[in-house]
Amino acid sequence: MSTSLARRALTTASRSNGMRMFHASSRAQDHYLDADFATFKKVTTGAGSEGRVQLVDFYAEWCGPCKMLTPLLQDITKDPKSNYLLTGALKPVDLVTINTETEDGQDLSRRYNIRALPTVVGFVGGKQKAFFTGALNRQQIYDFLKSL
């Protein structure tokens, strides 16, 4: 949207009732692809993690099932409607992917005892709640989210 078009929209909106209206809501969901340790820590345990669900997808480039699972997780977490319905509350679902072939990925894999790929760890409010290993189908991922 161009700047002049945005100004016109605001001017029109402000004239309609004499005052400008702004709507603020929490951000829907975020994707942190190939996150490093600092990003992982900020997203899963930082102040912004409260009231949110984080799915942490541990993967490797050579892993066939990982290549099937990650796009499915991205698709599921992109849809705010399914995020809210699946978690049973107004909790957006963020996706963090960790490449286990990087130094940070290897450190995080050891820390969370990742023994097989793909492994997805679910965090709620900064705390690890559950995990699954292997490429699940869409319904199984929905069931996992509901269990968090």
Side-chain angles (χ1 to χ4, degrees):
M1 181 186 280
S2 72
T3 305
S4 62
L5 185 59
R7 265 193 216 123
R8 220 175 320 147
L10 281 174
T11 304
T12 304
S14 66
R15 287 183 193 151
S16 64
N17 64 1
M19 58 191 299
R20 280 194 249 184
M21 302 296 287
F22 293 97
H23 176 71
S25 60
S26 64
R27 65 188 198 276
Q29 69 284 333
D30 291 319
H31 289 169
Y32 302 89
L33 306 180
D34 295 326
D36 59 9
F37 181 80
T39 302
F40 168 84
K41 186 173 181 178
K42 180 184 93 174
V43 171
T44 58
T45 61
S49 68
E50 289 301 315
R52 304 177 75 78
V53 174
Q54 293 85 26
L55 294 180
V56 180
D57 175 22
F58 289 88
Y59 79 97
E61 292 293 330
W62 52 262
C63 170
C66 299
K67 291 178 183 179
M68 295 180 343
L69 181 64
T70 300
L72 185 57
L73 292 172
Q74 288 174 332
D75 185 47
I76 289 170
T77 57
K78 276 183 192 174
D79 181 10
K81 181 181 173 188
S82 69
N83 284 203
Y84 295 134
L85 294 174
L86 291 171
T87 59
L90 294 178
K91 291 183 183 177
V93 180
D94 300 327
L95 176 63
V96 180
T97 63
I98 304 292
N99 184 344
T100 59
E101 295 176 308
T102 66
E103 189 174 323
D104 284 348
Q106 290 171 4
D107 290 344
L108 286 165
S109 295
R110 280 190 292 277
R111 181 175 289 200
Y112 288 93
N113 204 25
I114 305 302
R115 299 285 181 225
L117 297 176
T119 294
V120 175
V121 180
F123 288 81
V124 178
K127 295 185 168 89
Q128 180 182 347
K129 293 293 184 183
F131 73 94
F132 69 82
T133 301
L136 303 184
N137 64 38
R138 186 176 295 270
Q139 185 58 51
Q140 291 169 317
I141 296 169
Y142 287 160
D143 292 343
F144 175 76
L145 280 168
K146 287 177 188 175
S147 75
L148 296 175

